[in-house]
Amino acid sequence: MSFTLSHACRLGASRLGLVRPLGAAALRPASTAAYEHILVERRGEGERVTLIQLNRPKSLNALCSPLMSELLEVVHQAEQDPAVGAIVLTGNEKAFAAGADIKEMQDKRFADVYRGSFLAFWGGVAQCTKPVVAAVNGYALGGGCELAMMCDVIYAGEKARFGQPEIALGTIPGAGGTQRLTRAVGKSKAMEMCLTGDMIDAQTAERAGLVSKVLPPGELVDAAVKTADKMASHSKLVVQMCKEAVNAAYEMTLQEGLHFEKRLFHTTFATDDRKEGMTAFVEKRKANFTDS
């Protein structure tokens, strides 16, 4: 959610979207479908990284339901595509996403949002089993900050701003802001951000542990793709296991987590990729993973 007042959007009958360049590369649709609110291309060695750009520049990429539906459709496609090893999610230099579309929510009533579990489907990004790297330039506020936190790694441009300003609208974060932010930065900083609605800059976000790296805006997407490509170069099967183990740390006690990790570690010994990886190391050559 966000304080930005942007226009509500609707999916057109034809869903025709203009494909515009991101940096020097032209964006290519990930499937035969044309998208209205996102741009998609394949990047990295062997095009094994799916790059998704939120594309509602007039509304600072406010997150309307049709945009989120398109985003989750492409995430699902990437997850099912054996050639894809990782995903990068970005916006533009002004905004990653300035929040959810307030005009879309303005007239909703309690019965509407409760009965339909409004925003629940947004969590599909966090459920992706492949690594997702967020490249955040500009504003990541409300739902935009929540969407970034659903990703596995956040890289920020030097002018990025993060915040949960819902309190100023008479509501609270509804897509994980009070939960993921607290786990990322601790209770005191999360309380300060959620109860004041104040933004923090990229450098503060890095010190607090919300983002892992701060880069010049023009280098951000390439750096995120490079990291995603490195993740995609490893065994997709083992990467999925490792991601599952790290995520489990948020849900378990230390002893439960250690046991879970050990069992997944043992499980890697049933894979061809574990044997190939160790054999390649001993033979001083590059591993040839087969994702099996």
Side-chain angles (χ1 to χ4, degrees):
M1 292 178 284
S2 165
F3 63 91
T4 57
L5 295 179
S6 53
H7 293 293
C9 60
R10 300 181 299 274
L11 276 175
S14 60
R15 293 208 321 172
L16 294 179
L18 292 179
V19 178
R20 296 194 287 181
L22 178 66
L27 297 180
R28 299 180 298 279
S31 71
T32 56
Y35 296 99
E36 193 172 0
H37 307 297
I38 61 175
L39 302 174
V40 185
E41 70 166 316
R42 294 281 282 273
R43 294 274 291 271
E45 185 176 332
E47 297 191 334
R48 59 193 176 194
V49 175
T50 293
L51 173 61
I52 306 171
Q53 182 186 13
L54 306 180
N55 188 40
R56 296 187 70 208
K58 291 183 179 179
S59 63
L60 296 178
N61 292 330
L63 304 174
C64 59
S65 293
L67 181 152
M68 289 303 299
S69 294
E70 291 182 356
L71 170 60
L72 290 168
E73 179 182 327
V74 175
V75 168
H76 178 73
Q77 289 174 0
E79 186 163 26
Q80 298 301 311
D81 189 341
V84 174
I87 299 167
V88 171
L89 178 60
T90 193
N92 55 49
E93 288 202 10
K94 284 189 176 181
F96 174 74
D101 196 316
I102 299 304
K103 287 191 174 182
E104 187 178 67
M105 296 188 291
Q106 182 180 4
D107 295 327
K108 290 185 180 295
R109 300 172 60 86
F110 166 74
D112 301 326
V113 297
Y114 184 80
R115 186 182 297 117
S117 192
F118 184 54
L119 300 185
F121 80 101
W122 284 26
V125 174
Q127 294 165 10
C128 179
T129 60
K130 293 180 179 179
V132 184
V133 179
V136 177
N137 267 322
Y139 295 110
L141 305 178
C145 186
E146 291 170 314
L147 178 59
M149 290 190 292
M150 291 178 199
C151 301
D152 302 305
V153 176
I154 304 176
Y155 282 4
E158 292 169 337
K159 297 181 180 180
R161 297 292 184 271
F162 298 85
Q164 298 291 161
E166 290 88 348
I167 199 75
L169 295 174
T171 187
I172 70 170
T178 63
Q179 303 303 302
R180 291 190 176 95
L181 186 62
T182 303
R183 286 164 170 78
V185 305
K187 177 184 175 181
S188 181
K189 179 59 73 175
M191 280 287 192
E192 181 183 45
M193 291 175 66
C194 290
L195 298 185
T196 65
D198 291 345
M199 294 181 285
I200 61 173
D201 60 24
Q203 294 73 23
T204 302
E206 183 182 27
R207 290 194 299 269
L210 181 60
V211 307
S212 58
K213 191 174 290 186
V214 177
L215 298 136
E219 300 175 14
L220 178 67
V221 173
D222 285 343
V225 169
K226 183 178 180 180
T227 295
D229 194 40
K230 186 170 185 178
M231 295 173 179
S233 72
H234 301 307
S235 165
K236 297 181 184 66
L237 186 62
V238 178
V239 165
Q240 180 178 339
M241 291 181 186
C242 192
K243 175 175 173 173
E244 184 178 2
V246 173
N247 281 332
Y250 286 100
E251 309 294 338
M252 298 179 177
T253 65
L254 176 59
Q255 289 304 312
E256 290 170 335
L258 289 171
H259 179 74
F260 183 73
E261 176 193 73
K262 194 74 69 184
R263 289 296 182 241
L264 281 178
F265 166 69
H266 293 159
T267 301
T268 66
F269 281 75
T271 69
D272 295 332
D273 284 343
R274 193 281 314 168
K275 183 175 181 180
E276 166 62 12
M278 292 187 178
T279 300
F281 178 83
V282 171
E283 295 178 355
K284 298 181 179 180
R285 61 174 175 82
K286 183 178 179 180
N288 181 26
F289 294 121
T290 57
D291 306 322
S292 60

